[in-house]
Amino acid sequence: MIVGPEAYRLRFFLENGFTRKECRVCKRHFWTVNPNREVCGESPCTPYTFINNPPTKRSYHIWEMREAFLSFFEKRGHTRIKRYPVVARWRDDIFFTIASIACFQPHVTSGEVPPPYNPLVISQPSIRMTDIGNVGRTGGRHLTIFEMMGHHAFSSKDREVYWKEETVAYHHEFLTKDLGIPEDEITYIEHWWEGGGDAGPDVEGVVRGLEISTLVFMQYRKVGNSYRELPLRIVDTGYGLERFTWISKGTPTAFEAAYDSLYKGFFKIFGFNEPDSKILSEVVKLSGIIDVSDDASINLFKRKVSEAVGMDIPSLELFLRPVESIMAIMDHTKALIFMLGDGLVPSNVQAGYFARFLIRRIKRLMDILKVYVPISELLSMQIDHWKNQFPELVENMDYILRVADLEMERYTKTMEQGKSLIMKILKDEKIRKSSNIPTETLLQLYDSHGVPPEIVKEIAEPQGVRVEIPAAFDAMIASLHQSSQPSKMEEDILQDMPNLPETELVYYTDPRARRIKAKVLYSDGKRIVLDRTIFYPEGGGQPSDIGIIVANGKEIKVNNVKKSQGIVVHYIENDQSIDVGSEVECIIDLNRRISLSKHHSSTHILIGAARRVLGNHVWQHGAQKDVDRSRLDITHFEKINSSQLREIEVLANRVIQECRPIRTYFEDRNKAEEKFGMMLYQGGVVPGRRIRIVEIEGWDVEACGGIHCSNTGEIGIVKIIRSERIQDGVERLEFVAGEQAIKYIHSQEDMIQRISKALNAPMEHLEVAVSKLIKELSDYRKITEDLRGKLAAIIYSNLKSETINGIKFFFEKFEDLLNEDILAIASYIVRKDKLSLVVFVSKTDGYVVVMCGEDAIKRGLNAGRIIASLVAGIGGKGGGRPDIGQGKIPISHISEFEANIQNLKKQIGDMIGL
């Protein structure tokens, strides 16, 4: 904190009878008109006194409170703007919109881009995962999804909009005159705020124990441990919609106030009566005084509630369990309809992780309730409840319900698989010795394998292994994924260069030009900067142009081109210096440029086709354009099937045949966002006050800096080569366009002709010929397997074995037999002798197989472990299951392998427990 008391000594306070005081409990400073007030007014210094005793002149439904706030500021010169998505795709430092100001960071708050309106007012659905463990415990004080109502003003040296005085005055007027809250009930607590790298003093508005608003005066940028003044002075306010609605109704919890009829609906569908309001009121009041974020404080909280309501702790826990679980499910399902509705695909990484995390937490909470309701039914209830306030949710309802049910189904399977993993952990020597599974292991099991700690506890404790689940377990999980990936350090391509003017970008103004004249501004033998250039620099997944620069009749190869701060740097071959000020000629490889532009325009066409075929949740996850072929990575919740792939390709080629215009132009960022929405940012974060738009008429619009065709017909054709799932929730489409697509099709035709010739069948009969060949191969395979069985029986009858502790042990070295033959012999033996152990090795290539009969496994033998010990230390590798293990050793080490066999025979007794 770098400001003193003067930052909060406002004329508004002094002229309206406010006094600055120090809270006798928390020692924070606050402002009040009540001369008798000795505490700041916020819990835990003051208990909640609004429950069953609202301070407002009337109660408000949540939509009424939102409208009252927005209308109040509209009447005072603010422009109302629509909500932004909850998935913050315009940010590279956070996954979700965590507050209304996040919509304007960093481009507006840095002064780079003007605000869409100034001043403005918004009610922004926001998502935070930091307090997820307390959702449901504190009656609604903690939520993962909430609406942040905010009025914002951005003042600069050229224009003062308004600052502290007006901000507090607006706030006070809204609370007292519009809502009817007595002013002696309101306190303003001095505070320091930081978020998104910005900072400034703020005051918190508090009424009857509850903080309902934060008025931030953002004027600093935090850089390391120091603060620098921002180019703007920003009014950043946050009025909690749910909290305002709560104090207006005075209900025991914010859920009753904010969710209205849905609150009753959720308790009903889970088969529970609504909780006793008197008990619930005491629970929530005490949750405001006692911290409930760790195990010790939760135990204290339960004791205090038990005393207050005259209920023993077991009965209290029985009362709290369904109440807390159902309220948390209510919160999480609302968060999900907004996440999924804004196009998020559940996955194991980045923002998608949290959608999966919430779905899995809902399943765990239902397990606690011992009641299962299909998640799609709960989400459908949520959409139906909020559809009049957020009609866009209905548009994506099918996707929301389908993907949620699919995720829940996958999670159920994951948990079944996880049980065997728990059994494996319980055999760990450290776990057995300590008789305890540490928190770190619980976190890893859930984060990496989806195994909930409750299942671990259920399986482990009957075996004498203690499992303590921390109260903050879910918050710990969320913290592992809270931040976006840190930005990579960019190469300083302008290092050691003098100050240079920005380069004129001729590749934008005349993309079909092959050569231009330019003047040299800088040259160091490796890098050249010109006053203008035709060379496109690499960016957005598109490689740079290559070509030559002709200087004094000498051709200099340009191998790479990059751009930084408006300056284009040409990287040249060898160490060739050019005189600064001299005129040169730039010549690009135009055929390469045309091929790249066709592939780039095809990428935009394909993303549009994918969205129309698969759904609005499809977003570009990444792309790489090249001369020969390109790839497009898209978000999708399941593998794309061949029918969908063909439909995408047909749609894309239809757009190409229609010769739709492709327009490229620069647009004011705010105007572009208002016109096209956040769909602009398919390719990721785009900086700048003005952004370059690539618009394919009636099909796709994106912010993009790449080189494109002038109409779709120039592409000619696009062919999708393959699709593959490169990570959870991401599908990759590999494709070719233009002449490269024709070349690819020709190569496929050539291959078919070669196959036709090899099978001695005309192309039109090739399918029949291949089917016949497959049947013949299948018949031969059956004959081969039958012969292998007979061979195995013959060899078995001639093999020697020895009996060790009741186990029939076979060892043999084979030569001139296929590995499949050796495996067939071993399989035959263990079927015949269920108490057998077989070890075979090939002298031809070092192949090793170990197999155990059914009864030998029951007595403790494990083929996978045996082969691992046999090949260890002799340069081999191997492993497997209890019934079979396979591996390989160098044939030069077969004698050492035989020595290991002798040791194995000595250990068989120990293996079977004798």
Side-chain angles (χ1 to χ4, degrees), residues 140-161:
R141 182 160 54 94
H142 297 96
L143 302 167
T144 59
I145 185 165
F146 57 94
E147 270 187 69
M148 181 74 83
M149 304 186 297
H151 60 97
H152 301 281
F154 306 85
S155 295
S156 64
K157 292 178 181 178
D158 299 326
R159 183 192 174 202
E160 178 74 14
V161 182

Side-chain angles (χ1 to χ4, degrees), residues 67-126:
E67 184 55 38
F69 174 84
L70 295 172
S71 297
F72 175 88
F73 283 97
E74 269 189 315
K75 291 172 185 175
R76 287 153 182 79
H78 294 67
T79 301
R80 182 191 302 211
I81 66 171
K82 294 179 180 179
R83 78 169 181 98
Y84 280 57
V86 297
V87 184
R89 290 188 173 93
W90 63 94
R91 300 277 298 266
D92 58 7
D93 57 336
I94 56 175
F95 295 129
F96 300 107
T97 310
I98 56 174
S100 58
I101 193 63
C103 304
F104 314 109
Q105 291 173 314
H107 305 301
V108 175
T109 57
S110 66
E112 178 186 11
V113 176
Y117 298 96
N118 195 12
L120 61 83
V121 63
I122 186 174
S123 188
Q124 175 62 40
S126 306

Side-chain angles (χ1 to χ4, degrees), residues 194-346:
E194 293 183 7
D198 299 319
D202 74 277
V203 290
E204 298 172 347
V206 177
V207 175
R208 295 190 180 178
L210 185 67
E211 178 196 338
I212 57 173
S213 54
T214 304
L215 314 178
V216 180
F217 308 108
M218 191 189 297
Q219 59 191 118
Y220 301 103
R221 182 75 182 170
K222 190 172 184 181
V223 181
N225 294 320
S226 62
Y227 296 87
R228 298 175 187 170
E229 285 206 10
L230 288 168
L232 302 175
R233 292 195 303 167
I234 301 165
V235 172
D236 167 25
T237 64
Y239 293 58
L241 174 59
E242 290 79 7
R243 294 190 179 195
F244 269 82
T245 307
W246 189 13
I247 65 164
S248 84
K249 289 194 172 186
T251 51
T253 74
F255 288 94
E256 294 155 279
Y259 287 83
D260 220 26
S261 60
L262 197 61
Y263 177 84
K264 295 180 180 180
F266 263 60
F267 274 92
K268 184 178 180 181
I269 200 169
F270 280 106
F272 288 89
N273 295 323
E274 287 181 55
D276 184 289
S277 61
K278 289 184 179 179
I279 298 174
L280 194 55
S281 295
E282 291 301 319
V283 168
V284 175
K285 286 176 183 178
L286 283 166
S287 74
I289 297 173
I290 303 170
D291 177 38
V292 289
S293 59
D294 59 59
D295 297 297
S297 60
I298 288 175
N299 291 332
L300 172 63
F301 166 70
K302 287 178 182 176
R303 288 200 304 272
K304 292 292 184 183
V305 174
S306 173
E307 294 167 6
V309 300
M311 183 186 288
D312 61 74
I313 289 180
S315 300
L316 177 65
E317 289 175 339
L318 203 60
F319 170 84
L320 290 175
R321 193 172 296 121
V323 176
E324 293 178 353
S325 298
I326 291 171
M327 289 194 295
I329 292 172
M330 211 178 303
D331 167 89
H332 297 354
T333 48
K334 182 184 178 185
L336 274 173
I337 63 170
F338 277 85
M339 284 180 173
L340 301 179
D342 283 346
L344 191 60
V345 175

Side-chain angles (χ1 to χ4, degrees), residues 498-530:
N499 289 329
L500 297 170
E502 291 189 3
T503 310
E504 180 187 342
L505 310 179
V506 182
Y507 54 78
Y508 279 157
T509 55
D510 190 5
R512 290 298 177 190
R514 181 171 177 263
R515 60 175 70 205
I516 62 164
K517 298 285 180 65
K519 187 170 73 173
V520 178
L521 301 182
Y522 176 84
S523 173
D524 63 5
K526 296 178 180 178
R527 300 173 296 173
I528 296 176
V529 177
L530 306 170

Side-chain angles (χ1 to χ4, degrees), residues 813-819 822 841-847 888-891 894:
K813 295 172 288 180
F814 288 101
E815 198 166 12
D816 298 328
L817 279 181
L818 296 174
N819 295 341
I822 297 171
V841 61
S842 168
K843 293 167 69 177
T844 306
D845 67 357
Y847 170 73
K888 208 161 192 178
I889 60 170
I891 55 175
I894 286 181

